[in-house]
Amino acid sequence: MVIEESGMQFEFPDNRTTVKFDEELFYRNCFNKFPESKGVDFITDGKDLIAFIEVKNCRGHEGDNRWRIAPNNQKRDTAHTAHDVSGRDSLDIEVAQKVAMTLAALCGAYSFGDRKDSLGKLRKIAAEISGERFAQTGKKKLIILVLEGDFGTHTRPKTAIMSELQRNIIIMSKVQWLDCRVSVVDSDTYWEKVFRIND
């Protein structure tokens, strides 16, 4: 299954249930009515893993997004950017919020059982996160931020920036309420077992 997001093509294994979350009917018709609702770009679920994936393709717009890689909105109010940053958050905050709201939406979807036609593939994923297998250590729970763009500097390569962002998502206790692994990757460092990025 190939799905496009932010000008990039992502290929997911056919033996998994994969959704582009904000295009699901339940998200658009129900959850989107919740004020300031948001969610991750993709959810992919299989026997051995479930991944919540957020894509930020900043290629060509790194200058306008550089403030977003500093944790806890540290540089939001001092950023030199052509965009209005009011109401926006640094990536560590945004990703954690999107994961939390995605899980809330899945819980809401599960509460309807078979009584709502708009659930589609979400019904299967919602049942999975509400079942016992979700708590088993054999099933990896992954949060993945795909960060495209040249954010490296002379003193800090992009890989160091991605590692720091990954640590800040965890260290700042933003997703410690979920037993999961967090990864910040790009088209050079992603894990092919979860998805492939097609050029």
Side-chain angles (χ1 to χ4, degrees), residues 149-196:
D150 185 10
F151 288 100
T153 65
H154 293 300
T155 56
R156 289 174 67 212
K158 183 183 176 186
T159 52
I161 291 168
M162 292 188 331
S163 292
E164 181 180 323
L165 184 56
Q166 181 173 307
R167 283 195 310 273
N168 277 317
I169 291 174
I170 297 170
I171 291 172
M172 302 310 291
S173 301
K174 293 179 180 70
V175 291
Q176 286 187 351
W177 50 269
L178 182 65
D179 180 18
C180 66
R181 175 180 165 190
V182 178
S183 294
V184 180
V185 301
D186 62 10
S187 55
D188 295 324
T189 61
Y190 67 92
W191 191 24
E192 288 193 20
K193 186 176 181 182
V194 183
F195 57 79
R196 288 181 52 84

Side-chain angles (χ1 to χ4, degrees), residues 43-61:
I43 309 168
T44 186
D45 178 51
K47 182 179 179 182
D48 59 341
L49 67 84
I50 183 168
F52 302 90
I53 303 164
E54 179 65 15
V55 180
K56 295 297 178 191
N57 185 358
C58 302
R59 282 184 289 209
H61 303 282

Side-chain angles (χ1 to χ4, degrees), residues 75-88:
K75 297 189 177 180
R76 180 179 61 188
D77 298 330
T78 59
H80 297 288
T81 176
H83 300 289
D84 180 12
V85 299
S86 59
R88 298 182 71 198

Side-chain angles (χ1 to χ4, degrees), residues 120-146:
K121 290 181 182 178
L122 282 185
R123 176 180 283 115
K124 186 173 182 184
I125 297 173
E128 183 65 25
I129 68 152
S130 302
E132 191 159 323
R133 277 193 343 122
F134 189 66
Q136 294 173 354
T137 56
K139 180 157 185 158
K140 294 179 178 70
K141 278 79 72 181
L142 307 173
I143 296 171
I144 301 172
L145 169 61
V146 180

